[in-house]
Amino acid sequence: MSDLATLEKSILDQIASAADEAALEAVRVSALGKKGSISALLATLGKMSPDERKTEGAKINLAKDAVTQALAARRDVLKAAALDARLAAETIDVTLPLRDAPAETGRIHPLSQVFDEVNTIFADMGFAIAEGPDIETDDYNFTKLNFPEGHPAREMHDTFFFNPKQDPGSGAGAGGSRMLLRTHTSPVQVRTMLSQKPPIRIICPGRTYRIDSDATHTPQFHQVEGLVIDKGSHLGHLKWILHEFCKAFFEVDHINMRFRPSFFPFTEPSLEVDIQCRRDKGEIRFGEGEDWMEILGCGMVHPNVLRACGIDPDVYQGFAWGMGLDRITMLKYGIADLRQLFENDIRWLNHYGFKPLDIPTIAGGLSS
Ligand code: DAH
């Protein structure tokens, strides 16, 4: 066999055994590319005599044609095989159900849900929503709420204080200017009374902070504060509001409440409120049973607080309450450990969370 015939056979064998298009391209380059074996033979034609060129040229071009055709044929085969493999791998089962849209799969955290529920109930009663900063002054968090400096009631709150101000002119935090993380939402009462004239009807839901951590306490938690100031506001109004709130929130027609005397520096008289419940096999039902569960503190705003906030206690009076949002969330939705609320476990959220488009309304239902 001539050299040319051997070369042609070897190239055709390589073409036949190329497993994919990339391998085939490598064979093409090695035969027909600039430095390919057949291209090299064609380059020798220039040095031949005209007769020789005629015969050799024809032979080399025949070999080149054979290789070119074999390459094209093999490429078609490999292309078809690659397409078959892709079609087999990328089959779509059109009978499968559609995946839910993001608005269907996302979940609203139970605490956010309860924020919305509480806001909805009180908005329906004509309350406005007030907000204040998480970082407060000692003055607004304590002093103006009738916790005098050095008063033991301050010790009831395990407070996160910021370092006293270093500027000597500031008195290093004297006069209530020392900053802290608010220990309750009550400073929003102060801010509202200082900035608005009565009548006042607000609720203030928000974050609060105390140095405490166990199954029923987290260093950051949530409260909702309520405040009503007017000329004739009295405890009867407060009881009605709380009663209506509890029925609406726990979604029951009837609920029994108990008001016990208590102490808060900023209210006089001060009361704690329990709701009647039955604890049964790890479940709590409201509106029946023999047990009582404490849910909030309240009272008539202390005249000292009104005075400190520029309101004349001889003309105006009012009432306030404060309630733990985390606690009522756990009670309503059967959550056993407070810390779960803050773990952000997606499996937990899928179980306890709410659909984003099911927004609580009085008419449409709060939690359904
Ligand atoms: N601030 C109180 C606390 O965190 C809760 C509270 C009780 C708020 C009675 C009030 C109230 O407005 O009247 O312990």
PDB file of all heavy atoms in Angstrom, residues 212-238:
ATOM      1  N   ASP A 212     -32.461  38.362  79.960  1.00  0.00           N
ATOM      2  CA  ASP A 212     -33.190  37.204  80.456  1.00  0.00           C
ATOM      3  C   ASP A 212     -33.244  36.164  79.343  1.00  0.00           C
ATOM      4  O   ASP A 212     -33.500  36.534  78.196  1.00  0.00           O
ATOM      5  CB  ASP A 212     -34.627  37.630  80.796  1.00  0.00           C
ATOM      6  CG  ASP A 212     -35.138  36.946  82.038  1.00  0.00           C
ATOM      7  OD1 ASP A 212     -34.510  35.960  82.451  1.00  0.00           O
ATOM      8  OD2 ASP A 212     -36.149  37.414  82.597  1.00  0.00           O
ATOM      9  N   SER A 213     -33.005  34.902  79.654  1.00  0.00           N
ATOM     10  CA  SER A 213     -33.093  33.891  78.587  1.00  0.00           C
ATOM     11  C   SER A 213     -33.378  32.506  79.158  1.00  0.00           C
ATOM     12  O   SER A 213     -32.562  31.938  79.869  1.00  0.00           O
ATOM     13  CB  SER A 213     -31.779  33.871  77.800  1.00  0.00           C
ATOM     14  OG  SER A 213     -31.900  33.011  76.700  1.00  0.00           O
ATOM     15  N   ASP A 214     -34.559  31.992  78.882  1.00  0.00           N
ATOM     16  CA  ASP A 214     -34.911  30.600  79.196  1.00  0.00           C
ATOM     17  C   ASP A 214     -36.124  30.225  78.339  1.00  0.00           C
ATOM     18  O   ASP A 214     -36.438  30.945  77.385  1.00  0.00           O
ATOM     19  CB  ASP A 214     -35.172  30.407  80.711  1.00  0.00           C
ATOM     20  CG  ASP A 214     -36.289  31.296  81.231  1.00  0.00           C
ATOM     21  OD1 ASP A 214     -37.252  31.515  80.490  1.00  0.00           O
ATOM     22  OD2 ASP A 214     -36.192  31.766  82.381  1.00  0.00           O
ATOM     23  N   ALA A 215     -36.831  29.125  78.677  1.00  0.00           N
ATOM     24  CA  ALA A 215     -37.920  28.658  77.794  1.00  0.00           C
ATOM     25  C   ALA A 215     -39.051  29.676  77.675  1.00  0.00           C
ATOM     26  O   ALA A 215     -39.813  29.669  76.711  1.00  0.00           O
ATOM     27  CB  ALA A 215     -38.467  27.334  78.291  1.00  0.00           C
ATOM     28  N   THR A 216     -39.171  30.570  78.658  1.00  0.00           N
ATOM     29  CA  THR A 216     -40.271  31.542  78.591  1.00  0.00           C
ATOM     30  C   THR A 216     -39.769  32.983  78.482  1.00  0.00           C
ATOM     31  O   THR A 216     -40.572  33.926  78.548  1.00  0.00           O
ATOM     32  CB  THR A 216     -41.198  31.419  79.828  1.00  0.00           C
ATOM     33  OG1 THR A 216     -40.381  31.460  81.000  1.00  0.00           O
ATOM     34  CG2 THR A 216     -41.985  30.130  79.801  1.00  0.00           C
ATOM     35  N   HIS A 217     -38.446  33.170  78.375  1.00  0.00           N
ATOM     36  CA  HIS A 217     -37.908  34.532  78.214  1.00  0.00           C
ATOM     37  C   HIS A 217     -36.819  34.543  77.153  1.00  0.00           C
ATOM     38  O   HIS A 217     -35.970  33.658  77.120  1.00  0.00           O
ATOM     39  CB  HIS A 217     -37.285  35.032  79.521  1.00  0.00           C
ATOM     40  CG  HIS A 217     -38.263  35.133  80.640  1.00  0.00           C
ATOM     41  ND1 HIS A 217     -38.516  34.089  81.489  1.00  0.00           N
ATOM     42  CD2 HIS A 217     -39.063  36.149  81.028  1.00  0.00           C
ATOM     43  CE1 HIS A 217     -39.431  34.457  82.371  1.00  0.00           C
ATOM     44  NE2 HIS A 217     -39.788  35.712  82.113  1.00  0.00           N
ATOM     45  N   THR A 218     -36.841  35.566  76.310  1.00  0.00           N
ATOM     46  CA  THR A 218     -35.729  35.793  75.379  1.00  0.00           C
ATOM     47  C   THR A 218     -35.279  37.235  75.568  1.00  0.00           C
ATOM     48  O   THR A 218     -36.095  38.087  75.924  1.00  0.00           O
ATOM     49  CB  THR A 218     -36.170  35.580  73.915  1.00  0.00           C
ATOM     50  OG1 THR A 218     -37.385  36.293  73.704  1.00  0.00           O
ATOM     51  CG2 THR A 218     -36.383  34.122  73.604  1.00  0.00           C
ATOM     52  N   PRO A 219     -33.989  37.516  75.337  1.00  0.00           N
ATOM     53  CA  PRO A 219     -33.484  38.876  75.594  1.00  0.00           C
ATOM     54  C   PRO A 219     -34.223  39.925  74.761  1.00  0.00           C
ATOM     55  O   PRO A 219     -34.351  41.060  75.165  1.00  0.00           O
ATOM     56  CB  PRO A 219     -32.014  38.808  75.183  1.00  0.00           C
ATOM     57  CG  PRO A 219     -31.682  37.368  75.066  1.00  0.00           C
ATOM     58  CD  PRO A 219     -32.943  36.592  74.898  1.00  0.00           C
ATOM     59  N   GLN A 220     -34.679  39.514  73.594  1.00  0.00           N
ATOM     60  CA  GLN A 220     -35.508  40.437  72.805  1.00  0.00           C
ATOM     61  C   GLN A 220     -36.881  39.802  72.676  1.00  0.00           C
ATOM     62  O   GLN A 220     -36.994  38.614  72.358  1.00  0.00           O
ATOM     63  CB  GLN A 220     -34.880  40.644  71.434  1.00  0.00           C
ATOM     64  CG  GLN A 220     -35.549  41.735  70.617  1.00  0.00           C
ATOM     65  CD  GLN A 220     -36.379  41.193  69.474  1.00  0.00           C
ATOM     66  OE1 GLN A 220     -35.856  40.523  68.592  1.00  0.00           O
ATOM     67  NE2 GLN A 220     -37.666  41.467  69.502  1.00  0.00           N
ATOM     68  N   PHE A 221     -37.906  40.587  72.978  1.00  0.00           N
ATOM     69  CA  PHE A 221     -39.273  40.061  72.889  1.00  0.00           C
ATOM     70  C   PHE A 221     -40.181  41.178  72.371  1.00  0.00           C
ATOM     71  O   PHE A 221     -39.674  42.188  71.887  1.00  0.00           O
ATOM     72  CB  PHE A 221     -39.718  39.497  74.253  1.00  0.00           C
ATOM     73  CG  PHE A 221     -39.655  40.486  75.402  1.00  0.00           C
ATOM     74  CD1 PHE A 221     -40.809  41.067  75.907  1.00  0.00           C
ATOM     75  CD2 PHE A 221     -38.436  40.851  75.967  1.00  0.00           C
ATOM     76  CE1 PHE A 221     -40.752  41.983  76.961  1.00  0.00           C
ATOM     77  CE2 PHE A 221     -38.376  41.768  77.008  1.00  0.00           C
ATOM     78  CZ  PHE A 221     -39.536  42.325  77.499  1.00  0.00           C
ATOM     79  N   HIS A 222     -41.486  40.965  72.407  1.00  0.00           N
ATOM     80  CA  HIS A 222     -42.392  41.967  71.819  1.00  0.00           C
ATOM     81  C   HIS A 222     -43.552  42.286  72.760  1.00  0.00           C
ATOM     82  O   HIS A 222     -44.034  41.396  73.449  1.00  0.00           O
ATOM     83  CB  HIS A 222     -42.972  41.450  70.500  1.00  0.00           C
ATOM     84  CG  HIS A 222     -41.915  41.090  69.499  1.00  0.00           C
ATOM     85  ND1 HIS A 222     -41.337  39.844  69.459  1.00  0.00           N
ATOM     86  CD2 HIS A 222     -41.319  41.823  68.539  1.00  0.00           C
ATOM     87  CE1 HIS A 222     -40.427  39.824  68.490  1.00  0.00           C
ATOM     88  NE2 HIS A 222     -40.395  41.009  67.921  1.00  0.00           N
ATOM     89  N   GLN A 223     -43.942  43.533  72.753  1.00  0.00           N
ATOM     90  CA  GLN A 223     -45.108  43.932  73.539  1.00  0.00           C
ATOM     91  C   GLN A 223     -46.047  44.754  72.670  1.00  0.00           C
ATOM     92  O   GLN A 223     -45.634  45.292  71.642  1.00  0.00           O
ATOM     93  CB  GLN A 223     -44.686  44.822  74.719  1.00  0.00           C
ATOM     94  CG  GLN A 223     -43.942  44.097  75.814  1.00  0.00           C
ATOM     95  CD  GLN A 223     -43.770  44.969  77.050  1.00  0.00           C
ATOM     96  OE1 GLN A 223     -43.814  46.196  76.983  1.00  0.00           O
ATOM     97  NE2 GLN A 223     -43.570  44.334  78.193  1.00  0.00           N
ATOM     98  N   VAL A 224     -47.282  44.858  73.119  1.00  0.00           N
ATOM     99  CA  VAL A 224     -48.157  45.880  72.540  1.00  0.00           C
ATOM    100  C   VAL A 224     -48.711  46.693  73.705  1.00  0.00           C
ATOM    101  O   VAL A 224     -49.203  46.153  74.686  1.00  0.00           O
ATOM    102  CB  VAL A 224     -49.275  45.304  71.633  1.00  0.00           C
ATOM    103  CG1 VAL A 224     -50.153  44.322  72.354  1.00  0.00           C
ATOM    104  CG2 VAL A 224     -50.096  46.432  71.036  1.00  0.00           C
ATOM    105  N   GLU A 225     -48.533  47.993  73.587  1.00  0.00           N
ATOM    106  CA  GLU A 225     -48.958  48.936  74.607  1.00  0.00           C
ATOM    107  C   GLU A 225     -50.245  49.586  74.134  1.00  0.00           C
ATOM    108  O   GLU A 225     -50.426  49.773  72.927  1.00  0.00           O
ATOM    109  CB  GLU A 225     -47.858  50.016  74.698  1.00  0.00           C
ATOM    110  CG  GLU A 225     -47.994  50.965  75.829  1.00  0.00           C
ATOM    111  CD  GLU A 225     -47.373  50.386  77.081  1.00  0.00           C
ATOM    112  OE1 GLU A 225     -46.657  49.370  77.000  1.00  0.00           O
ATOM    113  OE2 GLU A 225     -47.612  50.962  78.156  1.00  0.00           O
ATOM    114  N   GLY A 226     -51.117  49.934  75.058  1.00  0.00           N
ATOM    115  CA  GLY A 226     -52.304  50.708  74.675  1.00  0.00           C
ATOM    116  C   GLY A 226     -52.397  51.928  75.564  1.00  0.00           C
ATOM    117  O   GLY A 226     -51.986  51.885  76.727  1.00  0.00           O
ATOM    118  N   LEU A 227     -52.905  53.020  75.029  1.00  0.00           N
ATOM    119  CA  LEU A 227     -53.058  54.235  75.844  1.00  0.00           C
ATOM    120  C   LEU A 227     -54.285  54.999  75.367  1.00  0.00           C
ATOM    121  O   LEU A 227     -54.458  55.227  74.167  1.00  0.00           O
ATOM    122  CB  LEU A 227     -51.816  55.127  75.692  1.00  0.00           C
ATOM    123  CG  LEU A 227     -51.898  56.490  76.405  1.00  0.00           C
ATOM    124  CD1 LEU A 227     -51.840  56.324  77.919  1.00  0.00           C
ATOM    125  CD2 LEU A 227     -50.773  57.416  75.926  1.00  0.00           C
ATOM    126  N   VAL A 228     -55.133  55.368  76.341  1.00  0.00           N
ATOM    127  CA  VAL A 228     -56.286  56.214  76.039  1.00  0.00           C
ATOM    128  C   VAL A 228     -56.273  57.375  77.031  1.00  0.00           C
ATOM    129  O   VAL A 228     -56.166  57.163  78.240  1.00  0.00           O
ATOM    130  CB  VAL A 228     -57.615  55.428  76.178  1.00  0.00           C
ATOM    131  CG1 VAL A 228     -58.814  56.363  76.051  1.00  0.00           C
ATOM    132  CG2 VAL A 228     -57.690  54.326  75.136  1.00  0.00           C
ATOM    133  N   ILE A 229     -56.293  58.596  76.539  1.00  0.00           N
ATOM    134  CA  ILE A 229     -56.358  59.771  77.417  1.00  0.00           C
ATOM    135  C   ILE A 229     -57.518  60.641  76.939  1.00  0.00           C
ATOM    136  O   ILE A 229     -57.576  61.008  75.762  1.00  0.00           O
ATOM    137  CB  ILE A 229     -55.066  60.631  77.351  1.00  0.00           C
ATOM    138  CG1 ILE A 229     -53.818  59.810  77.639  1.00  0.00           C
ATOM    139  CG2 ILE A 229     -55.179  61.840  78.285  1.00  0.00           C
ATOM    140  CD1 ILE A 229     -53.556  59.510  79.078  1.00  0.00           C
ATOM    141  N   ASP A 230     -58.415  60.931  77.862  1.00  0.00           N
ATOM    142  CA  ASP A 230     -59.538  61.830  77.526  1.00  0.00           C
ATOM    143  C   ASP A 230     -60.085  62.372  78.847  1.00  0.00           C
ATOM    144  O   ASP A 230     -59.598  62.014  79.918  1.00  0.00           O
ATOM    145  CB  ASP A 230     -60.601  61.058  76.735  1.00  0.00           C
ATOM    146  CG  ASP A 230     -61.386  61.983  75.807  1.00  0.00           C
ATOM    147  OD1 ASP A 230     -61.384  63.210  76.051  1.00  0.00           O
ATOM    148  OD2 ASP A 230     -61.999  61.466  74.863  1.00  0.00           O
ATOM    149  N   LYS A 231     -61.125  63.198  78.751  1.00  0.00           N
ATOM    150  CA  LYS A 231     -61.618  63.788  80.005  1.00  0.00           C
ATOM    151  C   LYS A 231     -62.353  62.764  80.856  1.00  0.00           C
ATOM    152  O   LYS A 231     -62.273  62.793  82.071  1.00  0.00           O
ATOM    153  CB  LYS A 231     -62.510  64.984  79.685  1.00  0.00           C
ATOM    154  CG  LYS A 231     -61.672  66.164  79.188  1.00  0.00           C
ATOM    155  CD  LYS A 231     -62.499  67.395  78.924  1.00  0.00           C
ATOM    156  CE  LYS A 231     -61.562  68.527  78.525  1.00  0.00           C
ATOM    157  NZ  LYS A 231     -62.174  69.513  77.643  1.00  0.00           N
ATOM    158  N   GLY A 232     -63.073  61.866  80.208  1.00  0.00           N
ATOM    159  CA  GLY A 232     -63.911  60.965  81.014  1.00  0.00           C
ATOM    160  C   GLY A 232     -63.525  59.498  80.913  1.00  0.00           C
ATOM    161  O   GLY A 232     -64.345  58.635  81.225  1.00  0.00           O
ATOM    162  N   SER A 233     -62.280  59.184  80.485  1.00  0.00           N
ATOM    163  CA  SER A 233     -61.908  57.755  80.333  1.00  0.00           C
ATOM    164  C   SER A 233     -61.827  57.090  81.696  1.00  0.00           C
ATOM    165  O   SER A 233     -61.263  57.661  82.634  1.00  0.00           O
ATOM    166  CB  SER A 233     -60.547  57.641  79.658  1.00  0.00           C
ATOM    167  OG  SER A 233     -60.527  58.408  78.497  1.00  0.00           O
ATOM    168  N   HIS A 234     -62.377  55.913  81.818  1.00  0.00           N
ATOM    169  CA  HIS A 234     -62.331  55.237  83.115  1.00  0.00           C
ATOM    170  C   HIS A 234     -62.130  53.728  82.966  1.00  0.00           C
ATOM    171  O   HIS A 234     -62.118  53.203  81.835  1.00  0.00           O
ATOM    172  CB  HIS A 234     -63.581  55.567  83.947  1.00  0.00           C
ATOM    173  CG  HIS A 234     -64.869  55.215  83.250  1.00  0.00           C
ATOM    174  ND1 HIS A 234     -65.268  53.926  83.045  1.00  0.00           N
ATOM    175  CD2 HIS A 234     -65.838  56.004  82.717  1.00  0.00           C
ATOM    176  CE1 HIS A 234     -66.436  53.909  82.427  1.00  0.00           C
ATOM    177  NE2 HIS A 234     -66.798  55.170  82.205  1.00  0.00           N
ATOM    178  N   LEU A 235     -62.003  53.055  84.120  1.00  0.00           N
ATOM    179  CA  LEU A 235     -61.677  51.618  84.094  1.00  0.00           C
ATOM    180  C   LEU A 235     -62.736  50.779  83.385  1.00  0.00           C
ATOM    181  O   LEU A 235     -62.426  49.723  82.841  1.00  0.00           O
ATOM    182  CB  LEU A 235     -61.507  51.100  85.534  1.00  0.00           C
ATOM    183  CG  LEU A 235     -60.145  51.344  86.191  1.00  0.00           C
ATOM    184  CD1 LEU A 235     -60.126  50.724  87.586  1.00  0.00           C
ATOM    185  CD2 LEU A 235     -59.020  50.742  85.348  1.00  0.00           C
ATOM    186  N   GLY A 236     -63.976  51.247  83.400  1.00  0.00           N
ATOM    187  CA  GLY A 236     -65.044  50.523  82.686  1.00  0.00           C
ATOM    188  C   GLY A 236     -64.730  50.427  81.204  1.00  0.00           C
ATOM    189  O   GLY A 236     -64.896  49.365  80.585  1.00  0.00           O
ATOM    190  N   HIS A 237     -64.249  51.557  80.640  1.00  0.00           N
ATOM    191  CA  HIS A 237     -63.870  51.527  79.214  1.00  0.00           C
ATOM    192  C   HIS A 237     -62.735  50.529  78.991  1.00  0.00           C
ATOM    193  O   HIS A 237     -62.722  49.775  78.013  1.00  0.00           O
ATOM    194  CB  HIS A 237     -63.380  52.921  78.758  1.00  0.00           C
ATOM    195  CG  HIS A 237     -64.422  53.988  78.853  1.00  0.00           C
ATOM    196  ND1 HIS A 237     -64.139  55.290  79.222  1.00  0.00           N
ATOM    197  CD2 HIS A 237     -65.762  53.948  78.652  1.00  0.00           C
ATOM    198  CE1 HIS A 237     -65.238  56.007  79.211  1.00  0.00           C
ATOM    199  NE2 HIS A 237     -66.246  55.212  78.872  1.00  0.00           N
ATOM    200  N   LEU A 238     -61.760  50.583  79.900  1.00  0.00           N
ATOM    201  CA  LEU A 238     -60.597  49.695  79.758  1.00  0.00           C
ATOM    202  C   LEU A 238     -61.039  48.233  79.754  1.00  0.00           C
ATOM    203  O   LEU A 238     -60.621  47.426  78.916  1.00  0.00           O
ATOM    204  CB  LEU A 238     -59.614  49.949  80.906  1.00  0.00           C
ATOM    205  CG  LEU A 238     -58.457  48.955  81.010  1.00  0.00           C
ATOM    206  CD1 LEU A 238     -57.519  49.057  79.814  1.00  0.00           C
ATOM    207  CD2 LEU A 238     -57.660  49.180  82.298  1.00  0.00           C
TER     208      LEU A 238
END
